[in-house]
Amino acid sequence: MGSSERRVAIVTGGSRGIGRAVSARLAADGQAVAVVYAHNTGEAEGAVADITAAGGRALALRADVADEDAVAEVFDLVEREFGGVDVVVNSAGVMILKSVAELDLADLDRMHRTNIRGTFVVDQQAARRVRSGGAIVNLSTSVTRLSPPTYAAYAASKGAVEAIGPVLAKELRGRDITVNAVAPGPTATDLFLDGKDEETVERLAGMNPMERLGRPEDIAEVVSFLAGPGRWVNGQTLYANGGMA
């Protein structure tokens, strides 16, 4: 199969956590994958090495998702290397937890830049370049429904992410491209576990009927569906949280 015949995915935040699991799953599904990362070159190269060792095709590309020139260059490189772009998954994100009264506004701006502007910038290039039959998947969060204390700024940024999808889906009318969001519940990633004691983790794990935290692979399975066979799901947010809400 030539590069022009294989489906091709770009996964931002693809070197760690949910993004890494998504990169591995899409590669296992037969897609060539561009693992886009912000800082940790070693993690990104490790993700690519794992995909390659399993017989897949992947490359690592460093970029700030909020920088439109850097993102355009990522799409240029992927098109040259793999022949086009079919799937774009926005998994890059920043989560800083403080009450509204205590949050440093610099942290609010940091989350806004990555979570909202970054998603918009990547979606903008995706809207221009994804081939017919493709899919755009943005990552949100179940805390937009649960509204726990200290999550206001993060939930607000992800609420904006959820608002983009239905609009973009309508703007892409006639091109056979779906746009959806996946909203994970508590998932066992470094981003989620950072700063939480064992009691807190156990309490959160018990909040859904499955009585466990999600695994990155659980979320990757949902993304795989939307990126492949789930062609009749469009403009939606899918809550992948084990029944928490």
Side-chain angles (χ1 to χ4, degrees):
M1 179 182 289
S3 62
S4 63
E5 300 169 13
R6 181 193 294 257
R7 279 172 75 82
V8 177
I10 293 174
V11 181
T12 73
S15 65
R16 302 179 67 194
I18 290 172
R20 184 163 182 160
V22 168
S23 296
R25 176 58 186 263
L26 295 182
D29 290 343
Q31 300 202 37
V33 179
V35 176
V36 180
Y37 69 101
H39 304 295
N40 197 319
T41 300
E43 292 277 6
E45 291 179 346
V48 168
D50 288 347
I51 290 169
T52 303
R57 293 189 65 195
L59 75 164
L61 297 173
R62 185 171 183 173
D64 173 0
V65 292
D67 181 335
E68 60 270 35
D69 294 329
V71 171
E73 185 175 359
V74 164
F75 276 77
D76 288 343
L77 289 168
V78 172
E79 287 175 341
R80 286 201 295 270
E81 179 69 20
F82 294 135
V85 178
D86 302 285
V87 172
V88 175
V89 181
N90 274 299
S91 187
V94 173
M95 181 172 67
I96 301 168
L97 305 181
K98 282 286 180 66
S99 69
V100 171
E102 297 175 340
L103 184 72
D104 188 319
L105 293 180
D107 289 335
L108 176 68
D109 291 342
R110 183 181 169 203
M111 281 188 281
H112 183 286
R113 189 173 190 278
T114 298
N115 298 356
I116 303 177
R117 179 185 169 91
T119 297
F120 196 96
V121 167
V122 174
D123 279 359
Q124 185 174 70
Q125 287 297 322
R128 295 170 179 172
R129 307 216 205 183
V130 167
R131 296 185 286 202
S132 177
I136 300 168
V137 183
N138 298 323
L139 268 289
S140 181
T141 172
S142 288
V143 299
T144 55
R145 284 185 174 179
L146 298 168
S147 305
T150 73
Y151 280 83
Y154 180 69
S157 73
K158 291 299 190 175
V161 168
E162 290 187 19
I164 293 170
V167 176
L168 183 54
K170 292 179 174 66
E171 290 176 351
L172 296 178
R173 173 184 291 272
R175 289 180 53 190
D176 189 24
I177 297 170
T178 61
V179 188
N180 294 288
V182 175
T187 305
T189 66
D190 291 341
L191 177 70
F192 173 78
L193 295 172
D194 184 41
K196 295 182 175 69
D197 59 33
E198 185 175 346
E199 181 181 352
T200 299
V201 171
E202 289 180 359
R203 177 176 56 80
L204 291 168
M207 289 177 67
N208 69 73
M210 311 298 283
E211 296 187 328
R212 66 171 175 85
L213 292 178
R215 296 182 291 263
E217 293 77 15
D218 294 323
I219 312 306
E221 185 173 42
V222 179
V223 174
S224 171
F225 169 72
L226 294 174
R231 302 305 303 164
W232 200 234
V233 181
N234 194 18
Q236 307 300 313
T237 297
L238 272 63
Y239 285 81
N241 57 30
M244 175 180 274

